[in-house]
Amino acid sequence: MQSDVAYVNVALGMAELATIGTKADAAPASWWRDAVVYQVYVRSFADGNGDGIGDLAGVRSRLPYLSDLGVDALWFNPWYPSPLADNGYDVADYRSIDPAFGTLEEAEELIAVARDLGIRTIVDVVPNHVSNEHPWFRDALAAGPNSPERSRFWFRRGGDDNGTPPNGWQSIFGGSAWTQVGDGDWYLHLFAPQQPDLNWMHPDVWAEHEEVLRFWFDRGVAGVRIDSAALLVKDPGLGAEPTSWAPGEHPYMDRDQLHDIYRSWRMVADGYPEPRVLIGELWLPEPERLIRYLRTDELHTAFNFDYLSCPWEPARMRTCIDAALDAHAPVDAPTTWVISNHDVTRPVTRYGRDDTSFSFEAKRAGTPTDLGRGTRRARAAALLSMALPGSMYVYQGEELGLPEVEDIPDDRRRDPMWLRSGGRDPGRDGCRVPIPWTGARPPFGFSPNGDARPWLDQPDDWAALTVEAESGDPSSMLTLYRTGLRLRRTAPWGDAASIAWLESPEETFTFARGERFVCLVNFGPDPVPLPRGAEVLIASGELEGGAVPRDTTVWLLQNGKPEDVQGKERR
Ligand code: GLC
Ligand code: CA
């Protein structure tokens, strides 16, 4: 049998690792501070009933895989009934499960069974908008202009004798953010027309969402991921979208009243014996604005999109890490480390391009990528993320090194980003392709009988990227994640929650964490010799005669305190 250990110093056995220190049995109340959260895109994870669509039975059957991977929690993308105008982010009923995925009872069982394996559940809540098939919106349409039912949304008359939208706001998916209904009223939708925005000045909207939180918390859910968390509050004046604005003065982004909403959610979350956790999806350019949401009576954590978007360059990465750690320190919130999710280009594809940054405005579908280079860098980035203080997110398939699928035929694409941009934006289908589990041909065991066609086709050449193929391969991405996460659990840095930068050659960086642990990343072409007296715990690529090659991260254990610590300790 092949070893399950990638590039690990086998001389340093697990017994010795145990003496380095095991992750102290984190107080249940703070499990989230250094958790590894695995993002499950249910539709594409595993199909239990053979219809080509992932479902809860599929997730349940793969819990041993997730447990073995060593994750602390699962975040499920929206699993509620939805007409799928935005793949589940158009929710028709916040209190049940889409029949394609299963039943509420199955969800309750899944939450409980996962918890028995030590895995907590996080659900996605979508408070900015509902589906146009949600009862509130149906009622609003039926009740007509100026009705109380319409006041839960943003219905307005338009300009130019009601012939043009009330203002020039643009939908994030392209086109106007307003759609006109039969009786002449226009309604606001920052995303697709099938996702009408709620009016968060309405008391029903507040009350309803707090009840939805309780509904899931009462079922054992450990926390929520809050969708589009910076967009809920709008300026009732509906002023024009400015090109630049003072903090808090954008008409629909990052407005101050949001903090009142999250303070009240925090009270709901804190009302449970194990307080529930609030995680914000906040795409905000300034870390100073972001961390205002993480004050002690608001959200617990937020995704680090700065890190997710950062190009693979040592100075930029180091600045990004510092900025995140510095910004979070005053509010005592842990930083998160994220390199992918269901909205962005898969890391092995992005890191393989000449420009390795990510932005929605400059999605580079079709730009050449070197998947070999991208994979090396994605491996290095993963091991770096695992070494940093805070919590970490892994988006399904990231642990297999799946590339972005860029050649999906137009008639199979679903994403409104693609549809509403008239195809200019490639959309996000390419990172949502079903997981390959076993076998040599599509659908690679995604469905139990192996013959249902998945809702999105997998490329024919994914045989080497299946869970089965990678499980037996010591050099695979999966083995790197399994081994790295296992080592991370042993906390080779002890209880150190801070890092200190060490002197490091050009195009590399090195930091120490705790008494003996050191992490070195080489971004440059020249192999870097290992520091003297260092033992290698794990490396993201094969070392070349004791040197760390290009695009490689190593974890080291120094015999004796790292000597050349430069600069101050950081949280
Ligand atoms: C968030 C989700 C994205 C969705 C959008 C609208 O950004 O991550 O997938 O399309 O919100 O709900
Ligand atoms: Ca299914």
Side-chain angles (χ1 to χ4, degrees), residues 479-501:
T479 302
L480 178 76
Y481 270 78
R482 278 185 179 151
T483 319
L485 292 179
R486 201 168 298 159
L487 277 166
R488 185 182 183 276
R489 281 198 167 213
T490 69
W493 37 78
D495 55 12
S498 58
I499 64 168
W501 296 104

Side-chain angles (χ1 to χ4, degrees), residues 46-55 100-101 446-447:
D47 172 19
N49 67 353
D51 64 357
I53 298 171
D55 48 41
F101 293 160
F446 175 69
S447 298

Side-chain angles (χ1 to χ4, degrees), residues 86 89 129 173 191 225 227-228 281 342-343 428 432:
D86 184 18
Y89 283 95
H129 44 266
F173 292 159
F191 295 92
R225 177 263 188 191
D227 185 65
S228 302
E281 189 215 12
H342 65 294
D343 290 329
R428 302 163 294 180
R432 300 173 176 179

